[in-house]
């Protein structure tokens, strides 16, 4: 995998397929190759090239010491788009990746042709703010939870009751998440990126066409918060996909990919 130095950090990336480029931005701590399970093959089949990358703090990209900010993450992606001459490009972002895409569309509109924002929000409600505060308190304590516990906790948060009731699927996800937790750690600086700030008013300045894809059983970014994003962006629609949680692009990739490709074919 090649590397590119932007904004003072070295990022690993992969460019593949033929056609107009789509940049895919993962959620916090996720490796770029996650997209290769379902999304990049679907986009290649639809005639698009793809660019995926590992964000700062995710091996093998650089992991600078200290706390990372949203501005850091946005500047990294902006630098990647400019260095690879992708602008204006189509973007798919999920979770933190969708927040980064929102910030790019607000602050650097010339870089964004259109964007699909999955599992997203423009503010946090009381429960989500409490969750962020609790996770940071755990980080400050220095306690490192066993990989088995991390895996169970993540699977419970990230998937729908539909998947949690499927013994075979749960076993596979638990094994994968446990291996990930036991492997090369992501940088703790990622945990400090502020995802709770309310920027609904700023979204009214977004000029690029957007689509919000919400997942009906998402506990991290529930559909009502995704709907607020769609309401705030002038040219934005909303697709809600049932039977999946925060990682809906992995849990129900078929309808997610259909919604992505259909939108980009129009924009």
């Amino acid at each position: 995998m090649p590397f590119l130095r932007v904004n003072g950090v070295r990022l690993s990336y992969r460019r593949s397929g033929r056609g107009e480029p789509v940049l895919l931005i993962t959620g916090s701590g996720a490796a770029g190759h996650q997209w290769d399970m379902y999304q990049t093959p679907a986009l290649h089949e639809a005639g698009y090239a793809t660019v995926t990358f590992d964000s700062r703090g995710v091996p093998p990209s650089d992991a600078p010491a200290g706390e990372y900010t949203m501005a850091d993450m946005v500047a990294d992606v902006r630098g990647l788009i400019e260095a690879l001459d992708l602008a204006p490009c189509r973007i798919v972002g999920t979770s933190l990746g969708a927040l980064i895409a929102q910030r790019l569309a607000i602050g650097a509109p010339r870089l964004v042709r259109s964007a699909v924002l999955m599992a997203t929000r423009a503010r946090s409600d009381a429960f989500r703010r409490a969750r962020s505060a609790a996770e940071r308190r755990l980080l400050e304590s220095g306690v490192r939870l066993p990989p088995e516990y991390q895996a169970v906790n993540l699977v419970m948060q990230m998937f729908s009751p539909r998947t949690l009731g499927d013994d075979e699927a749960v076993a596979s996800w638990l094994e994968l998440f446990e291996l990930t937790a036991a492997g090369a750690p992501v940088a703790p600086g990622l945990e400090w990126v502020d995802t709770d700030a309310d920027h609904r008013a700023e979204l009214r300045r977004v000029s690029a066409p957007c689509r919000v894809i919400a997942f009906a059983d998402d506990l991290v970014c529930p559909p009502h918060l995704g709907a607020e994003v769609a309401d705030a962006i002038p040219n934005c629609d909303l697709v809600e996909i049932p039977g999946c949680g925060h990682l809906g692009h992995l849990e129900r990739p078929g309808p997610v990919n259909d919604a992505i490709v259909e939108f980009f074919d129009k924009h």
Side-chain angles (χ1 to χ4, degrees):
M1 184 174 287
F3 290 86
L4 197 64
R5 181 165 290 278
V6 297
N7 193 34
V9 294
R10 194 180 69 145
L11 301 179
S12 63
Y13 73 98
R14 181 183 178 191
R15 194 169 189 167
S16 56
R18 294 183 177 182
E20 295 182 359
V22 177
L23 175 67
L24 298 105
I25 313 175
T26 62
S28 182
H33 63 71
Q34 180 188 95
W35 297 112
D36 295 338
M37 294 177 67
Y38 301 112
Q39 278 68 53
T40 58
L43 286 164
H44 294 166
E45 185 177 352
Y48 296 98
T50 58
V51 177
T52 60
F53 69 101
D54 299 305
S55 72
R56 68 165 62 206
V58 178
S61 290
D62 284 351
E67 299 175 4
Y68 303 169
T69 67
M70 182 65 73
D72 292 329
M73 310 304 290
V74 173
D76 291 352
V77 177
R78 180 173 183 160
L80 189 72
I81 293 172
E82 293 174 339
L84 295 176
D85 196 23
L86 302 178
C89 69
R90 297 175 172 91
I91 297 177
V92 176
T94 190
S95 195
L96 175 60
L99 288 173
I100 293 169
Q102 289 179 41
R103 292 293 185 180
L104 281 169
I106 293 166
R110 66 179 180 82
L111 302 182
V112 183
R113 173 172 175 172
S114 56
V116 173
L117 310 169
M118 301 193 298
T120 193
R121 63 194 188 201
R123 68 175 180 96
S124 287
D125 55 18
F127 178 74
R128 258 49 63 166
R129 289 194 300 272
R131 177 178 176 270
S132 295
E135 289 179 343
R136 288 172 181 170
R137 185 67 180 271
L138 178 63
L139 187 66
E140 289 172 335
S141 74
V143 173
R144 179 159 177 80
L145 300 171
E148 297 87 348
Y149 183 89
Q150 293 184 58
V152 169
N153 191 44
L154 282 171
V155 168
M156 186 168 56
Q157 289 184 57
M158 297 293 159
F159 294 101
S160 69
R162 174 176 174 268
T163 294
L164 295 180
D166 182 334
D167 286 354
E168 184 176 347
V170 165
S172 296
W173 287 117
L174 285 171
E175 181 180 8
L176 177 62
F177 278 57
E178 186 175 334
L179 287 171
T180 301
V186 300
L190 280 167
E191 300 289 343
W192 296 96
V193 177
D194 182 9
T195 60
D196 295 325
D198 188 340
H199 56 278
R200 285 172 291 176
E202 296 172 83
L203 287 175
R204 298 190 182 98
R205 304 203 307 265
V206 172
S207 56
C210 295
R211 166 166 285 176
V212 169
I213 300 180
F215 304 129
D217 298 318
D218 190 343
L219 298 178
V220 180
C221 295
H224 73 273
L225 293 181
E228 291 181 353
V229 176
D231 288 342
I233 296 174
N235 187 9
C236 185
D237 65 5
L238 172 68
V239 175
E240 183 173 327
I241 298 179
C244 52
H246 193 61
L247 294 181
H249 64 294
L250 304 181
E251 195 172 8
R252 294 204 64 202
V256 171
N257 292 342
D258 289 346
I260 293 171
V261 170
E262 186 265 338
F263 176 75
F264 284 150
D265 284 349
K266 292 192 299 185
H267 302 284

